[in-house]
Amino acid sequence: ASHGTVVDTQVTLLDIVPTVLDWFKLPYPHYSIFKKEGKVKLTGSSLLDYLTSKEKMDRAIFGSHILHEVTMYYPMRSIRTKRYTLIHNLNYWAPFPIDQDGYLSPCFHDILMRTRSGTPLPWHSTLQAYYFRQEWELFDRKADPHEYTNVADKPRYQPVLVSLQAQLLSWQNMTGDPWLCSPH
């Protein structure tokens, strides 16, 4: 690709190590973490392929979140395709934690006070829905680019939901995700 070329594809921070290794033509070191057998796998991809390919390369990217601060433990896993985002809230039965700097912000206090007084919020969600999330959140970004509406329970999206759940589970298995043993 030439200078100034724009490549329209999803990338992730997991792509950085494979890209650097590819750029310097270094082999990936083989070692194990946590497992007695099996090698650590890079789940990202080298971005250099995107610079040389003439074809549009679409792929799913994965995300993993455990905590923001020590008091904000809320594990989540996600998969994002060109059209859909699926979030698995692994600790969905607990309220989503608010970080201290967010809690102290005037914006959050405005939302909190409006919620307590029953005043309508200039926000797409209720505070209750923000705190207590469903186990699965599926968003169709073609129909809902801002991801306001969770469609995980809608019958027409069940084939998409099942497919993305299977891909996410496969990624969790490949990465040795400790949350595979979650109670559900």
Side-chain angles (χ1 to χ4, degrees):
S2 63
H3 179 72
T5 300
V6 175
V7 178
D8 181 25
T9 193
Q10 301 187 118
V11 297
T12 170
L13 290 174
L14 297 175
D15 298 329
I16 292 175
V17 170
T19 302
V20 170
L21 292 175
D22 190 17
W23 182 274
F24 291 106
K25 301 194 181 346
L26 296 172
Y28 182 69
H30 297 287
Y31 60 93
S32 298
I33 301 176
F34 305 125
K35 297 188 222 175
K36 293 182 181 181
E37 297 179 19
K39 297 175 181 161
V40 172
K41 296 188 113 192
L42 291 176
T43 59
S45 301
S46 172
L47 300 176
L48 297 184
D49 296 337
Y50 295 96
L51 298 177
T52 58
S53 176
K54 301 281 187 223
E55 297 177 25
K56 190 163 180 141
M57 300 165 64
D58 291 325
R59 66 181 180 136
I61 58 172
F62 297 89
S64 175
H65 172 81
I66 301 292
L67 54 93
H68 176 71
E69 301 175 348
V70 72
T71 60
M72 294 184 58
Y73 184 77
Y74 197 86
M76 304 159 78
R77 301 296 182 265
S78 64
I79 178 173
R80 183 178 170 120
T81 65
K82 183 174 179 154
R83 180 170 176 175
Y84 298 101
T85 300
L86 177 68
I87 302 168
H88 188 190
N89 295 302
L90 296 159
N91 204 20
Y92 67 95
W93 55 87
F96 188 81
I98 299 288
D99 61 329
Q100 187 173 1
D101 52 342
Y103 180 78
L104 296 174
S105 74
C107 180
F108 181 78
H109 275 271
D110 180 55
I111 291 169
L112 187 60
M113 299 316 281
R114 286 175 188 239
T115 298
R116 287 182 177 158
S117 69
T119 306
L121 293 173
W123 197 23
H124 72 275
S125 182
T126 66
L127 194 56
Q128 181 75 11
Y130 178 81
Y131 276 127
F132 296 98
R133 299 171 180 209
Q134 294 179 21
E135 179 178 7
W136 294 99
E137 295 178 87
L138 176 64
F139 300 98
D140 179 349
R141 290 190 322 281
K142 183 177 179 185
D144 177 22
H146 299 293
E147 299 183 351
Y148 289 155
T149 306
N150 180 5
V151 296
D153 293 334
K154 299 210 181 301
R156 69 180 265 214
Y157 286 98
Q158 291 312 294
V160 172
L161 177 66
V162 169
S163 173
L164 292 175
Q165 286 172 326
Q167 291 176 63
L168 186 58
L169 180 61
S170 176
W171 179 75
Q172 288 180 272
N173 277 306
M174 182 175 54
T175 60
D177 189 340
W179 270 91
L180 283 171
C181 63
S182 65
H184 50 288

